[in-house]
Amino acid sequence: LNNGKLSLSFEVFPPKTDTAFNSVKTATEEIARLNPSFMSVTYGAGGGTSQYTLDIAQNIKKQYNVPMVAHLTCVSSTKETVAERIESMKKAGIENVLALRGDLTPELEKGDRSKWAYRHAIDLIRDIKESGADFCIGGACYPEGHLESANMEEDIAHLKMKVEAGCEFLTTQMFFDNNILYSYLYKIRERGITVPIVAGIMPVTNAKQIVRSCKLSGTYLPQRFKAIVDRFGDNPKAMKEAGIAYATDQIIDLLANGVNNIHVYSMNRPEVAAAIQNNLKEIMSYQR
């Protein structure tokens, strides 16, 4: 991410059950065949599904030689569990990790956090560094501020601490208004946060799902985007086409304005990843 070249990457997620493993494996392989700059695999929380994250990452790396980033979350985990997961990642040949606290379930939100071994992602980043694992560690950042931060100033102060603890790159939460990201980049650069930023883009193919998701995350929906959802949201094929076009437009604007690293939340949908990559074919190969 440091060489100034344009990068387009995709995110996939592991299956929740054994029966879904083969279909997820096939979908992730189809995305890998697009030969992206890298792929990331989200963390399968709970039970044995955390192993699926490594299984999917290993398979793609071995079969397609695509650089992989494996997510690791720590919410409500013990130190021992996290140490075991770090060892498993090392044995699996994982070189890049996205260290995240993880989402709070309603039960966790109500619980007593004082007993948690990990209250924030920074605690996990420190443990990864202390483990001696030779990972490139990434973290998340929030252009509209984390929901649990009192204000943007506090959020950026926490982000700076994460970087100082060993975070080498940052991936943004989804956003639909590029001006929000440009303003955010100015603020964090001013605070001395100079690590590469990867812009997270979500192509919207399901109108109801995205409106619900944005309400939970506090993501701002521009009027231009709302108009697309209002007009095409009840027609899945039209919404998919419009969502891919909107995401493509966002990405072109970001690249034109010097944001070189784009990460698409492709949700295990090879056709969406392929359509976006195809829309950017000449642009991604253009270097000046």
Side-chain angles (χ1 to χ4, degrees), residues 216-254:
L216 290 172
S217 64
T219 304
Y220 168 69
L221 295 176
Q223 191 53 46
R224 182 168 157 259
F225 180 82
K226 284 181 183 172
I228 290 171
V229 174
D230 289 344
R231 183 68 194 263
F232 307 116
D234 58 354
N235 181 326
K237 288 183 180 176
M239 186 63 231
K240 185 174 176 181
E241 189 169 88
I244 287 167
Y246 190 94
T248 300
D249 189 44
Q250 257 194 289
I251 293 167
I252 291 169
D253 181 74
L254 290 166

Side-chain angles (χ1 to χ4, degrees), residues 107-221:
E107 293 77 26
L108 288 172
E109 278 189 339
K110 292 174 197 161
D112 179 9
R113 299 190 199 183
S114 64
K115 297 188 175 80
W116 290 4
Y118 299 94
R119 295 177 68 185
H120 303 284
I122 189 170
D123 304 321
L124 175 60
I125 292 164
R126 285 174 179 147
D127 273 11
I128 294 171
K129 291 300 280 186
E130 286 172 15
S131 75
D134 190 20
F135 296 141
C136 174
I137 304 171
C141 63
Y142 302 84
E144 296 168 71
H146 195 286
L147 278 176
E148 292 173 39
S149 291
N151 51 49
M152 185 60 83
E153 188 67 22
E154 181 187 283
D155 194 47
I156 293 174
H158 286 155
L159 187 67
K160 192 169 171 61
M161 288 166 64
K162 273 206 289 196
V163 171
E164 287 168 351
C167 209
E168 296 170 66
F169 69 94
L170 296 163
T171 302
T172 76
Q173 187 183 46
M174 65 179 179
F175 58 93
F176 296 97
D177 181 343
N178 286 0
N179 288 325
I180 288 171
L181 181 70
Y182 299 141
S183 171
Y184 181 69
L185 289 175
Y186 177 79
K187 287 172 188 164
I188 65 172
R189 298 310 191 204
E190 199 175 39
R191 289 292 302 271
I193 298 169
T194 58
V195 296
I197 304 295
V198 183
I201 298 296
M202 171 74 82
V204 175
T205 56
N206 182 318
K208 285 178 185 164
Q209 186 181 35
I210 201 64
V211 170
R212 189 166 60 247
S213 173
C214 288
K215 276 181 183 169
L216 290 172
S217 64
T219 304
Y220 168 69
L221 295 176

Side-chain angles (χ1 to χ4, degrees), residues 8-24:
L8 180 66
S9 54
F10 299 111
E11 185 162 294
V12 296
F13 56 83
K16 289 187 171 69
T17 62
D18 282 341
T19 51
F21 187 84
N22 284 337
S23 63
V24 169

Side-chain angles (χ1 to χ4, degrees), residues 58-79:
Q58 271 186 299
N59 178 59
I60 292 169
K61 191 179 176 202
K62 185 179 174 186
Q63 300 288 342
Y64 301 94
N65 202 29
V66 173
M68 296 303 301
V69 177
H71 290 210
L72 178 61
T73 66
C74 60
V75 67
S76 76
S77 295
T78 64
K79 293 265 186 184

